[in-house]
Amino acid sequence: MKVAVTGATGTIGLAVVRALADRGDQVVALTRDPGAAARRLPAGAEAVCWSAPKEEPAPPEALSGCDAAIHLLGESVAQRCTDGARREIRDSRVLGTRMLVDGLRAADPRPGVLLGGSASGYYGARGDEEVDESSPPGDDFLARVVVEWEAEARRAAELGLRVAMARTGVVLSSSGGALEKMLPPFKLGVGGPVAGGRQYVPWVDLDDVAGAVLFCLDRPDASGPINVCAPEPVTNRRLAQELGAVLGRPAVLPVPAFPLRLLYGDMASIVTAGVRAVPRRLQELGYAFRRPELRASLRAATGGD
Ligand SMILES: NC(=O)c1ccc[n+]([C@@H]2O[C@H](COP(=O)([O-])OP(=O)(O)OC[C@H]3O[C@@H](n4cnc5c(N)ncnc54)[C@H](OP(=O)(O)O)[C@@H]3O)[C@@H](O)[C@H]2O)c1
């Protein structure tokens, strides 16, 4: 299989590219900086320049002849929430997806599948309510971005592609995402539950994100939104306890929401609000999770496995 991947140099992208390469698939990475990408990508992966994903269509010649496209690029949400950051977070996803679909339109022959990135932020803050792919969207900034982002990906279906969207939860990896930010205080023994700790974290192991993406690529009946999160979401308090246990450090110091909101603004809701998302579609399709248990996943993510 030949697969075009955007965001291939990111936390999820690299895991996906490695999994594709491991099974003998050919990877074409579309990146803003092919030189830097080539240094990070596994041997054999080709890096092609897509310098302005918000402004110009993805290069059709790089997409032509690919069997599938996996679209994972996006400005990081883990940053200070300024107007400029919000715009870039939205535009890189919404306009970036529009430009990818424009590139797909011009490709000949076109890939048969688009696996689009998405996020459990789609659901907004839902308290204890269990949500699956049939649940309606939330109404905060991130939820509105995800709704627009998915709508752009769906346009590829008009071109005859099968479109699936990986509504990914909080990925456990020491090289990116929420866990990377949590690790330093926990390692110093000053970590603990955030914002009361009762909110649910739709965590997912990085290997399962790559596993689920490849699974959805291969399954002709995988389409539409697909929650990519572990079968048992846990509360933030339990996540803190388990992380403390894995690191051999106490994890009892509560972290108030206020400084996080000050630092990350709307984006703080990823850890302060939470969502109890479950992977209904993946389970219906029969995906076998590699690390469905939190402690094993935290061990792997922190280098203990
Ligand atoms: N990690 C998580 O916990 C998580 C959870 C839910 C959803 N997701 C979503 O999954 C996707 C991949 O996540 P990730 O954690 O792998 O992201 P990441 O590590 O931040 O990498 C994203 C990649 O996108 C490209 N990129 C970054 N900023 C960009 C911008 N402003 N405009 C265009 N391209 C840009 C970069 O590739 P180049 O520099 O090579 O162009 C980068 O390697 C994102 O859309 C993210 O929202 C992630």
Side-chain angles (χ1 to χ4, degrees):
M1 209 179 192
K2 188 175 176 190
V3 186
V5 184
T6 79
T9 54
T11 307
I12 297 177
L14 268 179
V16 166
V17 167
R18 286 188 186 124
L20 287 167
D22 282 352
R23 69 179 202 180
D25 288 341
Q26 206 184 329
V27 171
V28 180
L30 302 185
T31 169
R32 295 168 301 170
D33 185 345
R39 288 190 288 278
R40 306 196 67 195
L41 294 169
E46 188 190 346
V48 172
C49 189
W50 182 17
S51 58
K54 288 178 300 186
E55 284 122 41
E56 6 171 283
E61 58 284 1
L63 298 167
S64 300
C66 287
D67 300 287
I70 301 177
H71 182 48
L72 296 168
L73 72 74
E75 172 77 11
S76 172
V77 296
Q79 59 175 300
R80 269 202 67 219
C81 183
T82 60
D83 284 350
R86 286 160 73 103
R87 197 172 321 112
E88 191 61 22
I89 286 165
R90 185 245 175 218
D91 289 355
S92 59
R93 288 173 176 75
V94 176
L95 303 183
T97 307
R98 190 174 302 166
M99 291 295 125
L100 176 69
V101 174
D102 284 354
L104 288 167
R105 180 176 295 108
D108 185 21
R110 272 180 207 143
V113 188
L114 170 61
L115 196 295
S118 178
S120 58
Y122 173 88
Y123 301 107
R126 307 293 274 251
D128 282 357
E129 181 195 348
E130 197 172 271
V131 299
D132 65 20
E133 293 84 348
S134 64
S135 304
D139 192 31
D140 58 24
F141 167 70
L142 284 174
R144 288 195 296 272
V145 168
V146 179
V147 168
E148 278 193 274
W149 186 16
E150 289 192 356
E152 293 293 341
R154 283 180 211 275
R155 288 175 50 240
E158 295 159 18
L159 305 173
L161 279 78
R162 171 168 64 86
V163 180
M165 288 147 309
R167 270 188 202 156
T168 307
V170 173
V171 181
L172 297 186
S173 161
S174 57
S175 57
L179 185 64
E180 186 190 41
K181 296 263 185 288
M182 287 170 75
L183 277 173
F186 273 82
K187 283 183 174 162
L188 291 171
V190 293
V194 174
R198 282 185 297 277
Q199 68 281 26
Y200 275 84
V201 183
W203 69 275
V204 58
D205 189 273
L206 181 59
D207 283 347
D208 272 315
V209 180
V213 165
L214 268 58
F215 176 83
C216 292
L217 219 53
D218 297 342
R219 284 288 297 249
D221 47 351
S223 61
I226 296 180
N227 284 349
V228 177
C229 49
E232 285 184 30
V234 298
T235 60
N236 182 282
R237 176 176 301 279
R238 167 94 191 285
L239 175 65
Q241 282 163 349
E242 293 290 322
L243 183 56
V246 164
L247 295 173
R249 295 276 191 280
V252 290
L253 286 179
V255 181
F258 169 69
L260 290 172
R261 284 208 196 96
L262 210 60
L263 215 55
Y264 295 116
D266 287 354
M267 262 48 96
S269 66
I270 295 170
V271 284
T272 59
V275 57
R276 192 177 184 176
V278 291
R280 186 85 62 219
R281 276 300 284 148
L282 277 181
Q283 290 181 315
E284 283 168 1
L285 290 164
Y287 175 72
F289 280 86
R290 294 163 193 189
R291 291 199 195 88
E293 279 166 18
L294 178 61
R295 192 167 291 199
S297 178
L298 285 170
R299 275 214 187 92
T302 55
D305 179 45

